[in-house]
């Protein structure tokens, strides 16, 4: 298959259900484990009076996970929201989010390449980061944990955006 997007889409559509099936047959229930992790961290946050993005509990059903998907993605990518917290650590995390937003706006303003030179590397970085962010959003309702876990995915998102950026426009604007 020549087009990397089709290759990765097929890989995701075949491997993820196969992995879920194999893990389910071996006695592990991934949805139950992720829901337990989310609910356990939520209970811990309530006991310790930690800052939480949502007090919503997850059930170990596909319906619950599908309904929570947009929230998980939003929480993991955007929290803490700028100018909503007043502790030093949260302000640093908010500045990180603002820098990330400025990065994305700059990349969008510079435009995209018509042909990505390293398509496989782009798709790997993007899908790896997206998968991590989704799992982080599902498993961690605590803002501090979201920020800490998300830090491993940011280089992959930034690298993927660099692959999309037109380097000629970038060189022209930096001179």
């Amino acid at each position: 298959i020549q087009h990397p997007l089709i290759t990765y889409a097929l890989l995701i559509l075949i491997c993820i259900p196969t992995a879920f099936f194999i893990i389910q047959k071996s006695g592990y229930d991934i949805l139950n484990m992720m829901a337990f992790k989310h609910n356990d961290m939520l209970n811990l946050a309530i006991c310790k009076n930690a800052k939480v993005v949502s007090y919503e509990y997850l059930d170990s059903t596909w319906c619950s996970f599908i309904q929570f998907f947009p929230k998980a993605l939003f929480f993991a990518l955007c929290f803490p929201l700028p100018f909503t917290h007043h502790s030093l650590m949260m302000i640093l995390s908010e500045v990180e989010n603002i820098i990330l937003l400025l990065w994305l706006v700059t990349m969008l303003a510079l435009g995209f390449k018509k042909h990505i030179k390293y398509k496989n590397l782009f798709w790997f970085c993007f899908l790896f980061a997206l998968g991590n962010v989704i799992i982080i959003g599902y498993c961690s309702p605590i803002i501090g944990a979201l920020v800490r876990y998300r830090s491993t995915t940011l280089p992959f998102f930034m690298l993927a955006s660099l692959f999309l950026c037109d380097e000629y426009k970038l060189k022209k604007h930096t001179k």
Side-chain angles (χ1 to χ4, degrees):
I1 300 172
Q2 294 293 332
H3 201 276
L5 179 59
I6 294 171
T7 305
Y8 281 106
L10 285 173
L11 188 67
I12 289 170
L13 290 174
I14 292 170
C15 289
I16 290 179
T18 304
F20 269 101
F21 177 75
I22 291 170
I23 291 170
Q24 200 105 23
K25 288 296 178 187
S26 66
Y28 293 105
D29 185 2
I30 295 290
L31 296 180
N32 190 29
M33 290 180 355
M34 287 177 67
F36 175 78
K37 177 69 172 167
H38 174 89
N39 297 338
D40 190 41
M41 285 191 77
L42 185 57
N43 289 333
L44 178 67
I46 291 169
C47 289
K48 299 289 184 178
N49 201 18
K51 292 186 183 344
V52 176
V53 293
S54 171
Y55 287 96
E56 185 175 342
Y57 284 93
L58 272 177
D59 295 327
S60 59
T61 62
W62 282 104
C63 186
S64 176
F65 273 77
I66 291 169
Q67 286 177 341
F68 195 73
F69 177 77
K71 293 177 189 173
L73 199 59
F74 177 73
F75 294 153
L77 286 175
C78 300
F79 268 80
L81 295 172
F83 311 113
T84 56
H85 297 90
H86 303 293
S87 71
L88 179 61
M89 295 309 287
M90 285 296 128
I91 290 172
L92 291 173
S93 298
E94 291 169 2
V95 168
E96 177 184 277
N97 282 349
I98 291 170
I99 290 171
L100 184 62
L101 182 64
L102 290 173
W103 173 271
L104 292 174
V105 168
T106 303
M107 293 295 119
L108 288 173
L110 290 175
F112 296 116
K113 291 181 186 179
K114 293 186 193 280
H115 301 288
I116 303 170
K117 189 174 183 180
Y118 302 104
K119 289 179 185 178
N120 285 330
L121 194 53
F122 162 75
W123 284 112
F124 170 77
C125 289
F126 179 74
L127 292 174
F128 177 78
L130 185 64
N132 276 342
V133 164
I134 291 168
I135 291 170
I136 291 166
Y138 275 130
C139 292
S140 180
I142 301 171
I143 292 177
L146 283 173
V147 170
R148 184 173 55 250
Y149 299 151
R150 185 184 60 197
S151 65
T152 61
T153 64
L154 292 180
F156 288 96
F157 270 129
M158 295 177 93
L159 189 59
S161 69
L162 274 177
F163 285 125
L164 289 176
C165 181
D166 190 352
E167 67 263 6
Y168 298 112
K169 289 182 183 178
L170 182 64
K171 288 177 184 176
K172 188 172 103 175
H173 288 290
T174 56
K175 287 184 180 180

